[in-house]
Amino acid sequence: VPPGFIISTKVCDLFYKNKKNLPKKIITQINKEINLIEKFTKKKFGDLKNPLLVSVRSGARVSMPGMMDTILNLGLNDKTVLALAKETSNPRFARDSYRRFIQMYSSVVLGIASYNFEELIDNYKLTKGVILDTDLDSDDWDGLIKDFKNLVKEKTKKEFPQDVNEQLKGAIYSVFLSWNSNRAKVYRKINHIPSDWGTAVNVQAMVFGNMGSDCATGVVFTRNPSTGEKKIFGEYLINAQGEDVVAGTRTPQYITKKARLEAKVKELSMEESLPKVYLQLKKILDQLEKHYKDMQDVEFTVEKNKLWILQTRSGKRTAKSSVKISVDMVKEKLISKKEAILRIEPNSLDALLHPTLDEKFNKKIIASGLPASPGAASGKVVFSAEEAENLNNMMQDTILVRIETSPEDIHGMHAAKGILTSRGGMTSHAAVVARGMGRPCVSGSNQIEIDYKNKLFKTSNQIIKEGDIITIDGTSGKIILGKVPTVKPEISGDFSKIMSWA
């Protein structure tokens, strides 16, 4: 685990009482902690030879996926980026990390919407004629860094901050401020989380999954969050940083060989491409699950074939898998029957009584994607969270269609009957939040092309406009034209077992 320190939720309270400023004694403590990380890593914060970089993450008392802000690669500036390039003898990696930092810091701390930067990257790739970010080299990123810094100056009338201590302070402030962002407030209201809890801030030494082909990053669940099956479930990307997997900017690969074969995909699984690291990860997952006695959702990074565990939390799961995991853990003697019953959110059982699509009905399947959150839903196609909310207020069912969802869409995801995205994997924001809310979701459907401007999406032979009715099946990943009748489920198996224990 990379060394780091935690600024507790008490400080969040102090911050708000102190007119949104940190007391001096806290700043002194932070500097002391940074010195400890420097000793441990033998690197120095802001150093021109061997610079220390840190990540700044939030940490509320309960997991709120994607609701709070994260900043990676903090500590880079025009000078330390050169030192990092020299130290790692990998200039492409150093510049790639710097542009990521500018992008994240500007979006989170300076309030410049991320798509401004994405557009610059996309235009750059078009002029160069390449498809993936990984096809860009050191000089390309250098050019983009200049463009990024100009964008920051144009939007904020100030230069991008070069002082690493100022960067750190800005990042910590913005995590505390994100506790009161609109999306976090909506999430707390939906999930009955008290607003006076506040968030902590985790500052941790960076480890890099984007240094080359012996590096990777991924998200893994100790069991399948959709079905509850006792199998490792997750995704990873070689030569990437964590945000790439979660934000769904690149479609990730499978962790296990079995999952890859079942999905009939060519790209190698982690088990095949990094076999030693995979075995080590498997052992750690076992250990974490036994310790927490619950299914874990774990983020990891592999830096030059060395495995680092960044965070673990109890995983969000569907109602069906929640029941199966509870019953299985009683069988495995991990928890008692009483605990098994207490584990299950009573409202979530409603989802087990959700209707499924009528198999006998003749369906017109127009496209398919990943079955990210089970259940079926029909409704009018909408392309924005606001529209989903408006129609919901008029008692109309909607399917929210987005290229990828972001935490800003939380109110629309809650208002819609189902969610469809054209990008992102099974561990993307849309998938994780939909499973937690019990909303059917089909993610990463690269067979649909979404046009926000004209409010429509295209499939190979169909154009669907805003307001047209579609059905999505989150259990199979199919997207169907029109409304499909549903059948009522029956109570059996693990569900009836839990009810008899209750």
Side-chain angles (χ1 to χ4, degrees), residues 265-283:
V265 187
K266 286 195 194 75
E267 284 87 21
L268 289 183
S269 66
M270 181 170 168
E271 187 176 351
E272 297 160 292
S273 62
L274 299 161
K276 269 192 179 146
V277 181
Y278 167 78
L279 287 174
Q280 197 187 352
L281 176 67
K282 207 174 149 189
K283 210 167 125 185

Side-chain angles (χ1 to χ4, degrees), residues 195-223:
S195 58
D196 57 0
W197 277 7
T199 178
V201 181
N202 302 321
V203 180
Q204 209 173 13
M206 276 296 298
V207 285
F208 300 99
N210 59 330
M211 273 183 162
S213 58
D214 56 356
C215 302
T217 183
V219 175
V220 60
F221 291 79
T222 53
R223 300 181 189 222

Side-chain angles (χ1 to χ4, degrees), residues 3 17 29 51 70 74 94 123 134 143 153 156 167 178 212 256 271 292 321 324 364 381 418 451 459 470:
K17 283 179 180 155
Q29 281 183 335
T70 298
L74 190 138
N123 293 339
T134 40
K153 193 165 182 191
T156 65
Q167 290 175 359
S178 74
T256 61
E271 187 176 351
Y292 288 105
S321 78
K324 180 168 170 53
K364 182 168 184 193
V381 169
D451 176 350
T459 68
I470 61 167

Side-chain angles (χ1 to χ4, degrees), residues 132-146:
L132 297 171
D133 292 3
T134 40
D135 295 334
L136 296 175
D137 60 28
S138 169
D139 294 346
D140 297 331
W141 288 128
D142 228 13
L144 274 162
I145 288 169
K146 289 192 180 78

Side-chain angles (χ1 to χ4, degrees), residues 427-490:
T427 52
S428 65
H429 174 266
V432 172
V433 173
R435 283 196 293 266
M437 282 184 178
R439 293 285 178 283
C441 171
V442 175
S443 68
S445 170
N446 49 16
Q447 299 174 5
I448 67 170
E449 195 183 317
I450 298 174
D451 176 350
Y452 285 146
K453 205 163 150 196
N454 298 308
K455 297 196 174 172
L456 55 88
F457 74 82
K458 291 180 191 148
T459 68
S460 53
N461 52 9
Q462 203 83 33
I463 291 179
I464 307 285
K465 297 192 177 78
E466 184 159 75
D468 290 353
I469 290 179
I470 61 167
T471 299
I472 61 166
D473 183 4
T475 316
S476 67
K478 293 196 170 36
I479 304 156
I480 304 153
L481 193 62
K483 189 174 171 143
V484 180
T486 51
V487 285
K488 286 195 167 71
E490 55 206 58

Side-chain angles (χ1 to χ4, degrees), residues 15-54:
F15 173 79
Y16 280 105
K17 283 179 180 155
N18 194 25
K19 300 194 183 109
K20 297 183 185 171
N21 265 314
L22 282 183
K24 281 224 168 57
K25 63 171 190 202
I26 303 277
I27 303 263
T28 319
Q29 281 183 335
I30 290 172
N31 294 336
K32 261 194 195 143
E33 292 295 335
I34 288 281
N35 291 343
L36 284 175
I37 301 183
E38 289 178 334
K39 279 195 187 106
F40 193 90
T41 55
K42 301 188 174 53
K43 296 175 177 181
K44 270 189 100 66
F45 194 46
D47 192 44
L48 299 187
K49 280 206 180 78
N50 190 3
L52 166 72
L53 304 188
V54 295

